[in-house]
Amino acid sequence: MILWNDRLIPRNEASVDIEDRGYQFGDGIYEVIRVYGGKAFYLTEHLNRLEKSAREIRLPLPWDFGLLAERINQLVDANRLVEGTIYLQVTRGRAPRNHAFPEKTEPVLVAYTTEVPRPEAMLKEGIRTCTHRDIRWLRCDIKSLNLLGAVLAKQEAVEKGCKEAILVRDGTVTEGSSSNVFIVRDGTLYTHPANNLILHGITRSIVLKCAGDEGIPVKEETFSVDDLYAADEAFITGTMVEVCPVIRVDDRKIGDGVPGPVTRRLQKAFDGQIAHQCGQMDGIMGERR
Ligand code: PMP
């Protein structure tokens, strides 16, 4: 089943109009929400961000958000999803092709679920990454359907045998192609400030809160590629990758080339958040605790 505007319908009953503005212009917004133990993780925060993205692109959303949350939970239940994701997108709807907004818009909302296990090996062993010029636009804080800058960067990373592209704008590390980037230097956590150049990740904010709880000093400040190369530890955060250690950037080893102790503490704290919200008592890092 999928969610189509405010109704659950079978997937094969849904169709996209060839003049849907999301299809033609990328004129729309989206969210990816994780489901653990059959429960949507930080659903309210994702819906709040969707609302913010909609406001920024001047897309009026006609749905009651309480009801939308209820429908999303019904979708998870209808598909008996235990571990996976909910993809939710809203486009400005169909209209004869013209860049300017149509006079009357009827937004189209689609949400569907996918079974996805937690990325266990990546979380334990860490990942290789490479740097890539950040060629995206100047409103990366909007979770827009326009993802070509990220797509091209990720593809190059994959072709180099890496799991993520770390984006660099004017010598500064902004974020990953689909994640936020953190480094640890002398015990302090650094990450790019939440401005227009990055997506304000939900996982990023959970990790910042966890760091506060753990007494780990945090600086939301920019850092350079050289700072990243020289960091004691590095990790990326995201709905899909959780808190994932970075053990290599380009041809450089980060720290000792294995996940560091601050990263491990934050992974453990993040598991605690999952347990707290979704009732999963055995975090992925369980056996090492
Ligand atoms: N930055 C970008 C560019 C992303 O696409 C994502 C993934 N949605 C993130 C950061 C991480 O955001 P979140 O923690 O909300 O998934």
Side-chain angles (χ1 to χ4, degrees):
M1 300 297 279
I2 67 161
L3 179 62
W4 182 259
N5 293 327
D6 54 359
R7 284 186 309 131
L8 293 188
I9 61 170
R11 181 177 174 147
N12 59 11
E13 285 179 18
S15 66
V16 175
D17 191 279
I18 59 166
E19 286 194 311
D20 187 288
R21 292 178 61 93
Y23 181 57
Q24 290 193 325
F25 296 112
D27 186 359
I29 51 173
Y30 76 105
E31 283 295 323
V32 179
I33 304 150
R34 204 62 169 87
V35 171
Y36 298 110
K39 295 202 187 88
F41 187 56
Y42 279 85
L43 178 59
T44 308
E45 286 72 9
H46 281 281
L47 292 182
N48 288 344
R49 187 171 64 185
L50 184 81
E51 202 171 19
K52 177 180 168 272
S53 296
R55 210 180 318 120
E56 295 292 348
I57 69 161
R58 297 161 58 194
L59 172 59
L61 298 180
W63 304 284
D64 173 276
F65 268 57
L67 197 64
L68 180 57
E70 214 175 286
R71 287 281 180 273
I72 288 170
N73 289 326
Q74 285 166 354
L75 176 71
V76 170
D77 291 345
N79 293 328
R80 296 189 184 83
L81 183 68
V82 180
E83 291 274 305
T85 60
I86 304 156
Y87 176 81
L88 166 64
Q89 76 162 42
V90 184
T91 72
R92 205 179 302 273
R94 51 180 284 211
R97 188 178 183 283
N98 178 13
H99 286 60
F101 297 168
E103 256 169 44
K104 191 176 168 311
T105 48
E106 273 184 40
V108 177
L109 181 150
V110 177
Y112 64 87
T113 61
T114 310
E115 260 182 58
V116 191
R118 294 182 68 184
E120 203 162 339
M122 284 169 52
L123 295 178
K124 282 187 182 152
E125 290 148 30
I127 57 164
R128 290 165 180 256
T129 64
C130 51
T131 54
H132 192 282
R133 192 167 148 228
D134 191 346
I135 60 164
R136 302 172 306 161
W137 69 332
L138 297 173
R139 289 306 306 273
C140 296
D141 54 318
I142 301 173
K143 205 160 166 58
S144 124
L145 295 178
N146 283 284
L147 289 174
L148 263 184
V151 165
L152 293 176
K154 181 81 96 191
Q155 181 58 27
E156 261 196 45
V158 169
E159 286 169 7
K160 289 181 180 162
C162 295
K163 291 275 194 233
E164 178 60 302
I166 293 183
L167 305 180
V168 181
R169 195 188 287 269
D170 302 327
T172 289
V173 172
T174 49
E175 60 181 335
S177 71
S178 58
S179 59
N180 292 112
V181 178
F182 289 73
I183 60 171
V184 180
R185 189 171 62 196
D186 299 330
T188 297
L189 200 54
Y190 291 82
T191 195
H192 194 286
N195 60 14
N196 62 309
L197 298 180
I198 68 161
L199 183 76
H200 307 180
I202 307 291
T203 321
R204 175 186 181 279
S205 57
I206 298 170
V207 164
L208 290 177
K209 184 184 166 296
C210 289
D213 294 346
E214 294 280 316
I216 299 166
V218 173
K219 288 191 177 165
E220 291 182 65
E221 286 177 10
T222 56
F223 54 86
S224 67
V225 180
D226 285 336
D227 292 331
L228 171 61
Y229 288 151
D232 301 323
E233 301 178 34
F235 61 87
I236 58 171
T237 63
T239 296
M240 301 306 295
V241 294
E242 304 185 1
V243 179
C244 181
V246 169
I247 55 170
R248 270 191 110 85
V249 179
D250 299 329
D251 55 354
R252 317 286 182 101
K253 232 183 347 188
I254 302 301
D256 300 327
V258 292
V262 175
T263 309
R264 288 296 191 216
R265 266 171 76 192
L266 290 167
Q267 284 185 309
K268 203 170 154 186
F270 187 78
D271 276 350
Q273 289 290 312
I274 298 173
H276 181 69
Q277 274 217 5
C278 303
Q280 284 205 330
M281 299 321 290
D282 297 321
I284 204 98
M285 314 309 291
E287 66 262 35
R288 230 195 10 265
R289 271 183 220 160

